[in-house]
Amino acid sequence: SEILAYDADIICLQEVDANVYQNLLSPVLKAKGYQGFYSNKVSTQTEGCAMFWSLKYFELVDEPQMNTFSIGDLFYDEQNDGDESKN
């Protein structure tokens, strides 16, 4: 109920157990008008990050339009100012 009390447009959570996401967070937040996405850690642990957004303001794009990146892809080498051609 604490999460819902904020009436947030976007909710981001880390270290979320996969079972908690599937059996608690996702059904409860879906009933309250949110849609969500869960990304498991690249390990043997069953935890990861969960993101929910209010359907009042946001909508999910089709999977082919969705891009995912590794964390390393989000940063660039300051020596080449992000210009890949200098590598």
Side-chain angles (χ1 to χ4, degrees):
S1 66
E2 180 180 352
I3 292 172
L4 294 172
Y6 291 107
D7 194 30
D9 300 332
I10 298 173
I11 300 167
C12 297
L13 304 168
Q14 62 187 20
E15 298 185 16
V16 176
D17 184 273
N19 291 324
V20 172
Y21 173 82
Q22 288 183 335
N23 299 317
L24 177 66
L25 293 172
S26 187
V28 168
L29 290 170
K30 184 176 181 179
K32 297 294 184 177
Y34 289 88
Q35 189 169 12
F37 178 79
Y38 177 81
S39 178
N40 201 63
K41 286 183 179 178
V42 183
S43 73
T44 58
Q45 296 179 358
T46 59
E47 65 179 29
C49 295
M51 180 175 154
F52 295 91
W53 52 91
S54 171
L55 292 173
K56 289 188 277 186
Y57 303 105
F58 302 98
E59 63 184 50
L60 178 65
V61 296
D62 292 333
E63 289 269 343
Q65 296 174 320
M66 189 182 305
N67 294 319
T68 58
F69 301 93
S70 71
I71 191 72
D73 293 339
L74 300 176
F75 297 96
Y76 63 89
D77 184 351
E78 291 181 15
Q79 291 178 331
N80 66 25
D81 294 327
D83 186 354
E84 294 290 328
S85 65
K86 293 182 182 178
N87 287 340

